[in-house]
Amino acid sequence: MDPDDDRTTPAGADHSASARAGGRRPRWLPVAIAMVAALLMVAAVVVVSDLAVGDGDSASGIAPAADPSSPDSAATALRDSGASLAAVDCEPAELRPGPEGARDYYRDVLDCLDRAWQPVLDRVGVALQPVSVDVTDTRTTECGELPPADRALGLYCDADHTIHLPYSRLVTAVGDAHEPAFLATLAHEYGHHIQALTGVFTEVDNAMSGADAAAESDVGRRFELQATCFAGLFLDAARDTDLGNPSRGPEVAVEDFANWSGVESHGGARLQQQWASTGFTGGSVAACDTWSAPAAEIGGARARSRGSDASASP
């Protein structure tokens, strides 16, 4: 099936989502379709990371706009802040096999992520809210049912600020000791947490509401690639530690994004790597402005169409 046709509604065919409090039903946004390959793996495993929209509220004082690309949007305010992350010294627990080992590792890295992103949130007047990671094989979240294992590695739910990363899914994809993949995935999902706190998350939901397939895919790619760029920003903030690799540190986690595959409707491996590197070398959140980036830097059908038009021009 063409992933562009795999559009979900509040109660899509793939998810029998139940109604939430207040009568609002969750909307699943397909964002990161990733192929994560462990270092010595012969066959890559296709893994999808979904993001769920619940009833979570932005901590930002900026009223979310109808579109993240709007001049008065929270996304624009975040970009224009030019804020930089704080350099952090991360010494997480060793990534041990098993759910408990992953949970301990995630807990310590989340502390690093909080410290690194605090100056950015301070600059835009947003209160830091804690995020948790659930490594269990739970089926029901505050944003609805977790997508099936053959479709999703995990998701971020804004309703309770929880990153759902079932351990069994990630270990099947990359093994139990490939720290760069665990680190890159967590940093990316935390990027969605930053989008939720600053209002970008709500703006994306607004922009996708009632959008046609092409527009929805375009917004989804920009949303996804910004979270990847945010991951690169964090990995830069932690670059002087051995986090991710004893000899080369977070740089290895940045490189791991090159192993993320993806259908063109969500950026693809090349653009995932490109935006992770952009964050790693960009210095501030301004580098992660995917909302004003040209189509060629986002990918998808529109970029192909424009490329064809350009090649046909004199």
Side-chain angles (χ1 to χ4, degrees):
M1 175 184 293
D2 184 345
D4 280 333
D5 295 331
D6 189 20
R7 301 176 67 213
T8 56
T9 62
D14 293 336
H15 312 290
S16 55
S18 58
R20 300 197 61 238
R24 183 182 175 189
R25 304 181 75 175
R27 173 194 171 105
W28 295 94
L29 303 180
V31 274
I33 295 187
M35 181 182 295
V36 188
L39 288 176
L40 302 177
M41 289 180 66
V42 176
V45 180
V46 176
V47 184
V48 180
S49 175
D50 276 341
L51 180 148
V53 175
D55 292 327
D57 295 324
S58 165
S60 172
I62 301 172
D67 189 319
S69 63
S70 300
D72 60 346
S73 70
T76 300
L78 181 61
R79 178 200 68 193
D80 291 349
S81 74
S84 299
L85 279 66
V88 289
D89 184 12
C90 296
E91 297 182 1
E94 180 183 358
L95 180 59
R96 297 174 286 105
E100 290 297 330
R103 184 180 293 109
D104 291 345
Y105 177 79
Y106 287 146
R107 179 199 62 216
D108 291 349
V109 176
L110 283 177
D111 175 71
C112 296
L113 282 157
D114 286 344
R115 289 188 283 116
W117 278 99
Q118 185 68 65
V120 175
L121 298 178
D122 289 344
R123 177 73 68 86
V124 296
V126 171
L128 175 67
Q129 296 184 28
V131 62
S132 60
V133 178
D134 182 4
V135 300
T136 67
D137 288 317
T138 183
R139 294 189 60 184
T140 302
T141 76
E142 287 297 309
C143 290
E145 288 195 11
L146 195 71
D150 61 354
R151 183 183 167 190
L153 169 66
L155 64 86
Y156 170 80
C157 173
D158 73 320
D160 60 355
H161 301 306
T162 298
I163 296 171
H164 294 273
L165 289 175
Y167 178 77
S168 62
R169 301 187 182 194
L170 189 57
V171 75
T172 297
V174 303
D176 59 12
H178 185 42
E179 184 180 349
F182 281 76
L183 175 59
T185 303
L186 183 66
H188 168 91
E189 297 297 343
Y190 192 94
H192 289 311
H193 181 56
I194 295 298
Q195 290 170 318
L197 294 181
T198 56
V200 177
F201 199 113
T202 300
E203 292 176 341
V204 168
D205 192 32
N206 291 343
M208 283 188 166
S209 179
D212 61 24
E216 183 175 299
S217 291
D218 183 75
V219 172
R221 285 192 303 275
R222 294 177 187 276
F223 186 54
E224 164 65 16
L225 291 171
Q226 184 178 52
T228 292
C229 187
F230 283 174
L233 286 175
F234 167 70
L235 295 168
D236 171 48
R239 73 160 68 221
D240 292 331
T241 73
D242 63 2
L243 184 68
N245 184 281
S247 61
R248 297 177 57 211
E251 181 182 2
V252 177
V254 173
E255 294 172 355
D256 194 76
F257 280 100
N259 297 323
W260 287 38
S261 178
V263 295
E264 292 181 1
S265 63
H266 297 286
R270 180 183 66 82
L271 289 174
Q272 289 283 344
Q273 172 66 59
Q274 175 182 312
W275 282 99
S277 297
T278 294
F280 194 62
T281 59
S284 79
V285 292
C288 297
D289 179 24
T290 58
W291 305 108
S292 62
E297 295 181 13
I298 300 300
R302 292 184 178 180
R304 291 198 305 274
S305 175
R306 293 181 186 182
S308 297
D309 290 345
S311 64
S313 301

